[in-house]
Amino acid sequence: MTAIESLRARIERIEGGRRRAKSALAFGLEALDGRLPDKGLTRGVLHEIAGGGRNGGDGPAAALFAAGIAARTKGKVLWCLSRPDLFAPALAQVGLLPDRVIYVEARDEKTVLACMEEGLAHGGPAVVVGEAARLSMTASRRLNLAAEKTGAIALCLRRWSRPNDAAEFGRPTAAATRWRISALPAAPLPVPGIGRARWRVELIRSRGGETVDLELEACDATGRLAFPADLSDRSAAPPVGRAKRRASA
């Protein structure tokens, strides 16, 4: 038995062998689910999502990605924010209907995080979303612990209005996954109109899993992503910045 295996066995004995099995919310795309340790987005932990641009221009894509995740769950969704600029009809277009969402408007980001923690610990919502530019290691650990108690999915939507704030997204947190979403040009149509939006979906951190970088069609009316039709028959490109599979902390 190696030293790591011995340590794991000791932890298992200390916890009495009663670890709560975590379930996961699958994306339905092997290219994403296969990179995640639980074959989907793990419930009962914190996940981070941000737009790809430094000036906040990809923020709407990141918000819709979060809404698509929430749309594929059952139950209420608690959405905590400090700026009342969320467009509910856009969330409905990706499957997150207004009657499922409870909005909490807080006075500042510190209060947003406190409301997130309270909502996660309550156990009522299936998903708790909070919008914040800054997320400290301490705050992220508190959110993780609150989510673990109830099994809710915690999504921290990192949004900023100043380019300098984007650097905060690179600081370490306790989040299990970290996503970066960028808007891409929609596919051209044979007739006048706007095609389905496309996103660059980057899984840039996956604790116990691998990273991946994909071009996908944006969430549909059921919150599901898809490969663009003109790319679906091609061989998958190697993931950018692929990380080695490692044990969960």
Side-chain angles (χ1 to χ4, degrees), residues 22-113:
K22 287 186 170 67
S23 62
L25 179 69
F27 284 94
L29 293 175
E30 178 59 27
L32 284 180
D33 293 332
R35 300 302 195 277
L36 297 165
D38 296 314
K39 305 304 178 184
L41 202 68
T42 306
R43 291 181 168 90
V45 294
L46 173 68
H47 306 275
E48 286 183 83
I49 304 168
R54 294 182 61 84
N55 59 1
D58 290 316
L64 291 177
F65 179 78
I69 291 171
R72 291 184 287 108
T73 65
K74 296 181 180 180
K76 292 294 185 179
V77 176
L78 183 68
W79 200 299
C80 309
L81 67 167
S82 59
R83 288 180 280 180
D85 57 359
L86 201 61
F87 191 53
L91 303 189
Q93 287 185 342
V94 298
L96 187 56
L97 301 180
D99 61 352
R100 290 191 56 202
V101 187
I102 301 171
Y103 297 102
V104 175
E105 186 177 340
R107 64 176 180 269
D108 52 36
E109 291 188 355
K110 182 178 180 180
T111 310
V112 165
L113 297 176

Side-chain angles (χ1 to χ4, degrees), residues 4 6 25 37 59 80 93 112 115 140 153 164-165:
I4 292 178
S6 177
L25 179 69
C80 309
Q93 287 185 342
V112 165
C115 291
S140 65
I153 296 176
N164 290 342
D165 290 339

